[in-house]
Amino acid sequence: MRNTKVLSSGWRFLKAALPAETVMPYRVQGEQISLPHTWNAVDGQDGGNDYHRGTCWYVRELTAEELNGEHVFLEINGAAMTAEVYLNGNKLARHEGGYSTFRVELTGHLADTNVLAISVSNEDNGTVYPQKADFTFYGGLYREVKLISVPKEHFELVKDGTPGIKVTPIVDLEKHSAAVTVETWQNAENVEITVNGETRRVPSENGCAQAEFVIENVRLWDGLDDPFLYTAEAKLDSGDTVSARFGCRTFRCDPEKGFFLNGRSYPLRGVSRHQDVKGKGNALSYEDHKADMAIIKELGANTLRLAHYQHAQEFYDLCDENGIVVWAEIPYITMHMKNGRENTLNQMRELITQCYNHPCIAVWGLSNEITAASVVNEDLLENHRLLNDLCHRMDRTRLTTMANVFMLETDSPILEIPDINSYNLYFGWYLGEMSQTDEFFDEYHAQYPDRVIGFSEYGADANPAYHAEHPERSDYTEDYQALYHEHMLKMIEERPYLWATHVWNLFDFAADGRDEGGKHGENQKGLVTFDRSLRKDAFYLYKAAWNKREPFVHLCGKRYINRAVEETEIKVYSNQPAVTLYVDGVKFAGQTGKTVFRFRIPLLGEHLIRAESGEASDTMCVRRVSEPDESYIYNKTSTVVNWFDQDELNPDCFSVQDTLAELRANPQAGAVVNAMMEKASASRGDVADAVKDNPALQRMMGRMTLISLLKQGGVDEESVKQLNRVLQGIRK
Ligand code: GCB
């Protein structure tokens, strides 16, 4: 028999890096807390980049009753980022990596009364990833801690936090069957393994046993449509038992046609998720995980990128049960550390060992934007090759991938390491125009028609308090975010070769170093707010495109009530083919279409707007006001939107509306622009040098209009107008 006890209560917490030999008394003196727990739930979310990063202690007595069993192990599901386990003052283990499970055997170290003390540290260092990224590196024992007691003969518990059982189903779609291999690790002589009602008794050799099964008329794990799960169970004569759910499915990627599930085209369209919630940090309960999954189901996404590290087992379980195809990854992110190689390999080995059985996982992600703050040198390439080989050695059924930063040259050798690739692109948010995304993928696909490419991140920050009649990049309005995603949704739908696309991010999340868009410490690219209470308009855009089950209409701009215009746009997102709009109870217009329905209505006073499609409807109120509502504007100093009226510009001459490349192609216009750029770079120092030395960035800037470059550089209106006058004097 195996007994598992979750140790949630009885803990004392000490926010001090005391020496191990002094912490015993804190089993009664420390602050009473229960697990899961993080010490950064508040300071990691309030901005200032000043959250506590150090060593803290969790101390607890273990009662004789809790330690009942021949062999007792401690299981820690997440200690961020490094941990040391002490029993009665003796150090039993050290673990580096904040996102995986590890177990420690306590047997043999037990006394009459026992004190467990765990030091946990999220201090910065040069060996354990992550060290550089925008998200908050919460510290704490933020998942469950358990005691597991087993008989003398038991399944392996310590090595890389293994579940002790590994199930590999290989599906033959033509024969409708699956060959299932089950491997187990134990210190017993024989194992009884059961799959689909069939039991085999097999010998264990060198601690490992293996049995093969064939499932005829196999019921597939078929994504959202039918995520059917089988269970494999292994039992020893001692009674110790382990089991694993598994799913029978095939995945494959085609450079032209994208992703295939079970032999049919199945474009992966979804979102990314971080594991934190406002006020709770990363110390989430199963209820929190379930609530997140309910939102994902409502959205209709069929894939999740579980970024940027290993998530809770409960969450991969939810993905298995709900048919969500998952990209799993380790936190090898932003900056390659010369002393971090071993840690990347350890975190990857643990990820694969612990998550192998989940049918939801399709790919292992080697790294994220790793060249953002590092050059592509031999050490970095070697690290990626080792990770890639490790994945293939441990798992012959899944592909490897990477999320690359936009400025990585597409001919970089690093792109040849993983099986398939992906880019994170933020054109239209951090820089450039949205349409540069389209161009990027078209060029990549034309140049590398045999390579599989995906879109691993894209997004725009939005604070739902902010609104604009003419939304603009960087205005943080809910409306710009919606426009941005409308563009991206269309771009994606027109490019079926993209094997997977993931919105960054489903939820706003803590990034304590950020201070923007009217909030401290948050990345607001979420489609849903950090506390999960509000779905931004862009959420409903994707719901309209992806959720086929639940007919709905959604009126955009519900929070944009006061409008200082004579005529305004009313926009509806719906998964229905026809929408009717009513203004003050009177039918205004009907429209047929797909996903996005736009109406323009005159604004006379206060109006009740209603959109309808069949049974589905939505209502909102808009009001004509004489002056713009200041509370809707984030950056109150840059409210000028239309600096130039197109009609005023002489199309035969150059203007700030031309792209940098067009201007530079003309000697006279080029000289004007270069002189201006040199002046700007003299005042920008290293940033400008980085741009000058990076051909990808140079090309990207060449495609931008001068006006958007100037606006991004914060150049004032008068200087722009002056420059425009000069350019209008030069004939094309
Ligand atoms: C990225 C990173 C992600 C950030 C995101 C952003 O490229 O991979 O971790 O949160 O950009 O919002 O800037």
Side-chain angles (χ1 to χ4, degrees):
M1 277 296 289
R2 176 177 283 218
N3 277 312
T4 302
K5 180 176 168 37
V6 179
L7 300 179
S8 44
S9 60
W11 291 94
R12 300 286 178 141
F13 174 68
L14 180 66
K15 196 174 171 180
L18 295 187
E21 44 303 351
T22 65
V23 300
M24 293 273 257
Y26 289 93
R27 68 186 186 274
V28 284
Q29 290 168 14
E31 178 194 345
Q32 277 186 339
I33 56 115
S34 58
L35 301 187
H37 176 265
T38 169
W39 60 79
N40 299 122
V42 176
D43 70 358
Q45 305 191 335
D46 60 359
N49 207 16
D50 54 356
Y51 59 103
H52 184 68
R53 290 187 68 180
T55 301
C56 299
W57 285 92
Y58 293 88
V59 192
R60 190 191 191 277
E61 279 181 15
L62 298 175
T63 65
E65 196 193 5
E66 285 170 333
L67 294 167
N68 195 4
E70 277 182 274
H71 285 254
V72 184
F73 293 81
L74 181 73
E75 173 177 299
I76 298 179
N77 294 142
M81 301 286 178
T82 59
E84 293 189 347
V85 177
Y86 292 81
L87 187 69
N88 305 327
N90 299 317
K91 180 167 147 186
L92 300 190
R94 175 176 169 82
H95 183 260
E96 297 185 339
Y99 305 96
S100 51
T101 290
F102 64 101
R103 299 195 191 90
V104 188
E105 176 149 22
L106 304 184
T107 331
H109 304 279
L110 296 166
D112 291 342
T113 59
N114 292 285
V115 178
L116 175 66
I118 305 173
S119 73
V120 183
S121 168
N122 63 342
E123 211 166 348
D124 58 351
N125 63 74
T127 50
V128 183
Y129 287 96
Q131 290 299 331
K132 199 175 170 69
D134 71 342
F135 63 95
T136 295
F137 304 148
Y138 297 101
L141 282 181
Y142 70 98
R143 291 186 189 144
E144 286 186 332
V145 172
K146 297 169 191 160
L147 278 178
I148 303 176
S149 41
V150 289
K152 185 158 169 277
E153 289 191 343
H154 54 262
F155 290 97
E156 172 66 36
L157 283 143
V158 174
K159 193 161 182 320
D160 294 328
T162 175
I165 179 166
K166 179 178 178 186
V167 188
T168 308
I170 304 288
V171 176
D172 186 326
L173 290 174
E174 277 177 17
K175 293 190 183 140
H176 306 286
S177 67
V180 181
T181 305
V182 181
E183 293 157 274
T184 62
W185 290 267
Q186 56 281 315
N187 59 4
E189 283 189 1
N190 294 292
V191 190
E192 246 177 48
I193 301 179
T194 305
V195 166
N196 201 28
E198 248 182 86
T199 302
R200 305 251 145 83
R201 189 173 171 85
V202 288
S204 173
E205 279 162 29
N206 301 322
C208 179
Q210 182 170 326
E212 316 280 341
F213 298 82
V214 174
I215 305 179
E216 305 289 358
N217 294 317
V218 66
R219 183 163 166 194
L220 299 175
W221 185 89
D222 204 20
L224 296 180
D225 297 326
D226 185 19
F228 185 77
L229 296 171
Y230 288 91
T231 302
E233 193 182 80
K235 197 172 172 183
L236 303 179
D237 293 340
S238 68
D240 193 29
T241 307
V242 286
S243 66
R245 295 189 309 181
F246 66 97
C248 299
R249 77 281 184 259
T250 66
F251 299 136
R252 120 180 125 76
C253 282
D254 181 278
E256 198 55 48
K257 297 186 185 134
F259 191 83
F260 282 71
L261 172 67
N262 298 329
R264 65 175 162 126
S265 164
Y266 194 82
L268 296 179
R269 302 294 175 249
V271 292
S272 286
R273 174 196 188 239
H274 259 306
Q275 57 170 18
D276 67 343
V277 171
K278 178 110 184 143
K280 299 183 181 185
N282 58 354
L284 304 186
S285 65
Y286 184 56
E287 292 310 312
D288 293 320
H289 291 305
K290 268 201 336 207
D292 278 6
M293 181 51 77
I295 296 175
I296 291 157
K297 294 291 283 179
E298 180 193 337
L299 184 66
N302 65 8
T303 181
L304 276 178
R305 179 172 171 215
L306 292 181
H308 280 307
Y309 38 72
Q310 186 173 332
H311 283 228
Q313 284 301 316
E314 297 91 298
F315 205 81
Y316 295 106
D317 282 340
L318 285 166
C319 293
D320 290 342
E321 291 158 14
N322 287 284
I324 306 285
V325 176
V326 167
W327 163 324
E329 68 190 40
I330 55 166
Y332 183 25
I333 179 168
T334 318
M335 178 185 67
H336 171 78
M337 301 191 292
K338 68 177 189 305
N339 296 321
R341 180 186 287 189
E342 192 188 335
N343 185 252
T344 63
L345 294 166
N346 289 343
Q347 293 209 42
M348 185 63 88
R349 226 183 31 254
E350 290 180 326
L351 173 74
I352 301 179
T353 304
Q354 295 170 23
C355 297
Y356 184 90
N357 296 326
H358 291 288
C360 63
I361 297 175
V363 293
W364 303 117
L366 306 182
S367 64
N368 178 72
E369 298 202 343
I370 199 65
T371 58
S374 311
V375 290
V376 181
N377 60 20
E378 189 44 39
D379 191 46
L380 178 129
L381 289 172
E382 181 69 8
N383 204 145
H384 279 77
R385 279 188 218 110
L386 290 171
L387 282 171
N388 196 53
D389 293 348
L390 175 70
C391 294
H392 287 139
R393 240 189 355 264
M394 292 185 70
D395 185 352
R396 63 195 163 101
T397 67
R398 294 182 176 93
L399 299 171
T400 55
T401 190
M402 266 178 81
N404 293 300
V405 65
F406 80 97
M407 63 220 192
L408 177 74
E409 289 286 353
T410 56
D411 61 359
S412 168
I414 201 166
L415 285 157
E416 288 167 35
I417 296 175
D419 299 323
I420 56 176
N421 261 295
S422 259
Y423 264 89
N424 299 348
L425 301 178
Y426 286 94
F427 297 122
W429 180 245
Y430 287 121
L431 73 184
E433 318 291 341
M434 297 179 215
S435 59
Q436 287 177 262
T437 319
D438 319 24
E439 290 161 21
F440 178 92
F441 283 119
D442 290 345
E443 277 173 25
Y444 186 94
H445 189 54
Q447 201 171 354
Y448 302 103
D450 300 331
R451 285 196 197 164
V452 175
I453 188 75
F455 195 12
S456 32
E457 274 182 37
Y458 63 103
D461 289 69
N463 180 333
Y466 300 142
H467 301 284
E469 189 65 24
H470 302 286
E472 285 221 320
R473 199 181 67 81
S474 293
D475 67 7
Y476 291 88
T477 62
E478 187 178 10
D479 322 274
Y480 181 77
Q481 187 194 41
L483 280 182
Y484 170 92
H485 283 293
E486 283 171 31
H487 179 96
M488 294 305 163
L489 180 65
K490 184 161 175 291
M491 189 293 293
I492 289 165
E493 284 176 347
E494 288 167 357
R495 288 165 183 76
Y497 59 83
L498 294 171
W499 72 273
T501 64
H502 293 100
V503 174
W504 189 260
N505 193 291
L506 176 55
F507 304 110
D508 291 347
F509 61 88
D512 200 51
R514 286 187 185 265
D515 188 351
E516 54 185 312
K519 286 206 182 145
H520 306 296
E522 270 186 45
N523 184 317
Q524 295 185 80
K525 293 190 187 68
L527 303 178
V528 178
T529 51
F530 196 13
D531 62 2
R532 280 41 171 178
S533 70
L534 187 150
R535 288 150 172 76
K536 304 177 195 176
D537 284 341
F539 176 91
Y540 294 96
L541 171 75
Y542 288 105
K543 180 172 170 177
W546 295 340
N547 182 329
K548 305 275 179 271
R549 292 165 292 122
E550 184 192 316
F552 81 97
V553 289
H554 170 79
L555 277 162
C556 297
K558 279 202 188 81
R559 286 165 279 273
Y560 174 35
I561 300 170
N562 300 324
R563 306 186 180 199
V565 285
E566 289 172 11
E567 197 188 81
T568 193
E569 180 180 82
I570 301 293
K571 191 165 62 177
V572 181
Y573 293 153
S574 175
N575 55 1
Q576 298 303 296
V579 170
T580 310
L581 195 77
Y582 296 85
V583 177
D584 300 324
V586 178
K587 179 174 169 181
F588 179 78
Q591 213 178 95
T592 54
K594 193 175 157 241
T595 316
V596 185
F597 301 81
R598 294 173 197 281
F599 302 87
R600 286 202 74 79
I601 65 158
L603 267 189
L604 304 171
E606 188 160 324
H607 302 290
L608 182 69
I609 312 289
R610 182 177 161 83
E612 238 180 58
S613 182
E615 298 285 288
S617 70
D618 197 14
T619 54
M620 72 175 193
C621 181
V622 287
R623 188 183 303 131
R624 167 109 181 244
V625 289
S626 51
E627 294 300 319
D629 187 330
E630 288 269 304
S631 71
Y632 293 162
I633 304 166
Y634 163 54
N635 186 351
K636 301 191 174 41
T637 55
S638 71
T639 54
V640 187
V641 278
N642 290 323
W643 286 353
F644 297 98
D645 191 341
Q646 287 287 354
D647 302 342
E648 287 171 14
L649 296 176
N650 178 356
D652 299 330
C653 295
F654 287 101
S655 78
V656 289
Q657 306 279 16
D658 293 315
T659 65
L660 196 58
E662 284 162 351
L663 291 162
R664 281 186 164 155
N666 176 290
Q668 220 185 331
V672 172
V673 169
N674 287 342
M676 180 213 68
M677 301 283 262
E678 251 164 52
K679 212 168 114 202
S681 72
S683 63
R684 294 289 291 276
D686 52 344
V687 182
D689 282 347
V691 173
K692 212 163 64 221
D693 297 343
N694 187 319
L697 270 177
Q698 280 291 337
R699 269 202 311 281
M700 201 269 312
M701 282 175 58
R703 293 194 188 112
M704 289 172 69
T705 59
L706 189 56
I707 180 80
S708 71
L709 275 167
L710 294 170
K711 281 192 190 177
Q712 275 174 43
V715 179
D716 64 281
E717 184 181 350
E718 222 11 82
S719 313
V720 174
K721 286 194 162 158
Q722 171 60 25
L723 185 64
N724 194 54
R725 278 193 285 274
V726 176
L727 292 171
Q728 282 276 280
I730 307 171
R731 287 199 82 76
K732 282 189 176 169

